[in-house]
Coordinates of all heavy atoms in Angstrom, one line a residue:
L103 N 2.2 0.7 -22.8 CA 2.0 0.9 -21.4 C 0.6 0.5 -21.0 O 0.4 -0.3 -20.1 CB 2.3 2.3 -21.0 CG 3.8 2.8 -21.3 CD1 3.9 4.2 -20.7 CD2 4.8 1.9 -20.7
G104 N -0.4 1.1 -21.7 CA -1.8 0.9 -21.3 C -2.2 -0.6 -21.4 O -3.1 -1.0 -20.6
I105 N -1.7 -1.3 -22.3 CA -2.0 -2.7 -22.4 C -0.8 -3.6 -22.0 O -0.9 -4.4 -21.1 CB -2.4 -3.1 -23.9 CG1 -3.7 -2.3 -24.3 CG2 -2.7 -4.6 -24.0 CD1 -4.1 -2.6 -25.7
G106 N 0.3 -3.4 -22.7 CA 1.5 -4.3 -22.4 C 2.1 -4.3 -21.0 O 2.0 -5.3 -20.3
L107 N 2.6 -3.1 -20.6 CA 3.2 -3.0 -19.2 C 2.2 -3.3 -18.1 O 2.4 -4.0 -17.2 CB 3.9 -1.7 -19.0 CG 4.6 -1.5 -17.7 CD1 5.6 -2.6 -17.5 CD2 5.2 -0.1 -17.6
A108 N 1.0 -2.7 -18.3 CA -0.1 -2.9 -17.3 C -0.4 -4.3 -17.1 O -0.7 -4.8 -16.0 CB -1.3 -2.0 -17.6
Y109 N -0.5 -5.0 -18.2 CA -0.8 -6.5 -18.2 C 0.2 -7.2 -17.3 O -0.1 -8.1 -16.5 CB -0.6 -6.9 -19.7 CG -0.6 -8.4 -20.0 CD1 -1.7 -9.0 -20.5 CD2 0.6 -9.1 -19.9 CE1 -1.7 -10.4 -20.9 CE2 0.6 -10.5 -20.3 CZ -0.5 -11.1 -20.7 OH -0.4 -12.4 -21.0
L110 N 1.5 -6.9 -17.5 CA 2.5 -7.6 -16.7 C 2.5 -7.2 -15.2 O 2.7 -8.0 -14.4 CB 3.9 -7.3 -17.3 CG 4.1 -7.7 -18.8 CD1 5.4 -7.2 -19.4 CD2 4.0 -9.2 -18.9
L111 N 2.3 -5.9 -14.9 CA 2.2 -5.5 -13.6 C 1.0 -6.1 -12.8 O 1.0 -6.5 -11.7 CB 2.0 -3.9 -13.5 CG 3.3 -3.2 -13.9 CD1 3.0 -1.7 -14.0 CD2 4.4 -3.4 -13.0
W112 N -0.1 -6.3 -13.6 CA -1.3 -6.9 -13.1 C -1.0 -8.3 -12.6 O -1.3 -8.7 -11.5 CB -2.5 -6.9 -14.1 CG -3.7 -7.7 -13.6 CD1 -3.9 -9.0 -13.8 CD2 -4.8 -7.1 -12.9 NE1 -5.1 -9.4 -13.2 CE2 -5.6 -8.2 -12.6 CE3 -5.1 -5.9 -12.4 CZ2 -6.8 -8.1 -11.9 CZ3 -6.3 -5.7 -11.7 CH2 -7.1 -6.8 -11.5
Y113 N -0.4 -9.1 -13.5 CA -0.2 -10.5 -13.2 C 0.9 -10.7 -12.1 O 0.9 -11.6 -11.4 CB 0.2 -11.3 -14.4 CG -1.1 -11.7 -15.1 CD1 -1.5 -11.2 -16.3 CD2 -2.0 -12.6 -14.5 CE1 -2.7 -11.5 -17.0 CE2 -3.3 -12.9 -15.1 CZ -3.6 -12.4 -16.3 OH -4.7 -12.7 -16.9
R114 N 1.9 -9.7 -12.0 CA 2.8 -9.8 -10.9 C 2.1 -9.6 -9.6 O 2.4 -10.2 -8.6 CB 3.9 -8.8 -11.1 CG 5.0 -8.9 -10.0 CD 6.2 -8.1 -10.2 NE 5.8 -6.6 -10.0 CZ 6.7 -5.6 -9.9 NH1 8.0 -5.9 -10.2 NH2 6.4 -4.4 -9.7
G115 N 1.1 -8.6 -9.6 CA 0.3 -8.4 -8.4 C -0.5 -9.6 -8.0 O -0.5 -10.0 -6.8
V116 N -1.1 -10.3 -9.0 CA -1.9 -11.5 -8.7 C -1.0 -12.6 -8.1 O -1.4 -13.3 -7.2 CB -2.6 -12.0 -10.0 CG1 -3.2 -13.4 -9.8 CG2 -3.7 -11.0 -10.4
R117 N 0.2 -12.7 -8.7 CA 1.1 -13.8 -8.2 C 1.5 -13.6 -6.7 O 1.5 -14.6 -6.0 CB 2.4 -13.7 -9.1 CG 3.5 -14.6 -8.6 CD 4.8 -14.4 -9.4 NE 5.8 -15.3 -9.0 CZ 7.1 -15.2 -9.4 NH1 7.4 -14.3 -10.3 NH2 8.0 -16.0 -8.9
Y118 N 1.7 -12.3 -6.3 CA 2.2 -12.1 -4.9 C 1.1 -11.9 -3.9 O 1.2 -12.3 -2.8 CB 3.1 -10.9 -4.9 CG 4.5 -11.2 -5.4 CD1 5.0 -10.7 -6.6 CD2 5.4 -12.1 -4.7 CE1 6.2 -11.0 -7.1 CE2 6.7 -12.4 -5.2 CZ 7.1 -11.9 -6.4 OH 8.3 -12.1 -6.9
I119 N 0.0 -11.2 -4.3 CA -1.0 -10.8 -3.3 C -2.4 -11.3 -3.7 O -3.4 -11.0 -2.9 CB -1.1 -9.3 -3.0 CG1 -1.5 -8.6 -4.3 CG2 0.3 -8.8 -2.6 CD1 -1.7 -7.0 -4.1
G120 N -2.6 -12.0 -4.8 CA -3.9 -12.6 -5.1 C -4.8 -11.6 -5.9 O -4.5 -10.4 -5.9
N121 N -5.8 -12.1 -6.5 CA -6.7 -11.3 -7.4 C -7.4 -10.3 -6.6 O -7.6 -9.1 -7.1 CB -7.7 -12.3 -8.1 CG -7.2 -12.6 -9.5 OD1 -6.2 -12.1 -10.0 ND2 -8.0 -13.4 -10.2
T122 N -8.0 -10.6 -5.5 CA -8.8 -9.7 -4.8 C -8.0 -8.5 -4.3 O -8.5 -7.3 -4.5 CB -9.5 -10.3 -3.6 OG1 -10.4 -11.3 -4.0 CG2 -10.3 -9.3 -2.7
R123 N -6.9 -8.7 -3.7 CA -6.1 -7.6 -3.3 C -5.6 -6.7 -4.4 O -5.6 -5.5 -4.4 CB -4.9 -8.0 -2.4 CG -5.3 -8.6 -1.1 CD -4.0 -8.9 -0.2 NE -4.4 -9.4 1.1 CZ -4.4 -10.7 1.4 NH1 -4.2 -11.6 0.5 NH2 -4.8 -11.0 2.6
T124 N -5.3 -7.4 -5.5 CA -4.8 -6.7 -6.7 C -6.0 -5.9 -7.3 O -5.8 -4.7 -7.7 CB -4.3 -7.7 -7.8 OG1 -3.2 -8.4 -7.3 CG2 -3.9 -6.9 -9.0
A125 N -7.2 -6.5 -7.3 CA -8.4 -5.8 -7.9 C -8.8 -4.6 -7.1 O -9.3 -3.6 -7.7 CB -9.5 -6.8 -8.0
T126 N -8.5 -4.5 -5.8 CA -8.8 -3.3 -5.0 C -8.2 -2.1 -5.5 O -8.7 -1.0 -5.4 CB -8.5 -3.5 -3.5 OG1 -7.1 -3.8 -3.4 CG2 -9.3 -4.6 -2.9
Y127 N -7.0 -2.2 -6.2 CA -6.3 -1.1 -6.7 C -7.1 -0.5 -7.9 O -7.0 0.6 -8.2 CB -4.9 -1.5 -7.2 CG -3.9 -1.6 -6.1 CD1 -3.7 -2.8 -5.4 CD2 -3.1 -0.5 -5.8 CE1 -2.8 -2.9 -4.4 CE2 -2.2 -0.6 -4.8 CZ -2.0 -1.8 -4.1 OH -1.1 -1.9 -3.1

């Protein structure tokens, strides 16, 4: 979860809303 699932959730966020909006989380 801490590495594997979070990795996938991060890149899904980048795909849909971009790095900056994802990074604000």
Side-chain angles (χ1 to χ4, degrees):
L103 300 184
I105 297 177
L107 179 59
Y109 169 102
L110 300 172
L111 291 172
W112 174 272
Y113 278 113
R114 187 174 71 171
V116 170
R117 175 185 177 188
Y118 283 110
I119 66 175
N121 261 356
T122 294
R123 291 188 177 96
T124 300
T126 57
Y127 282 87

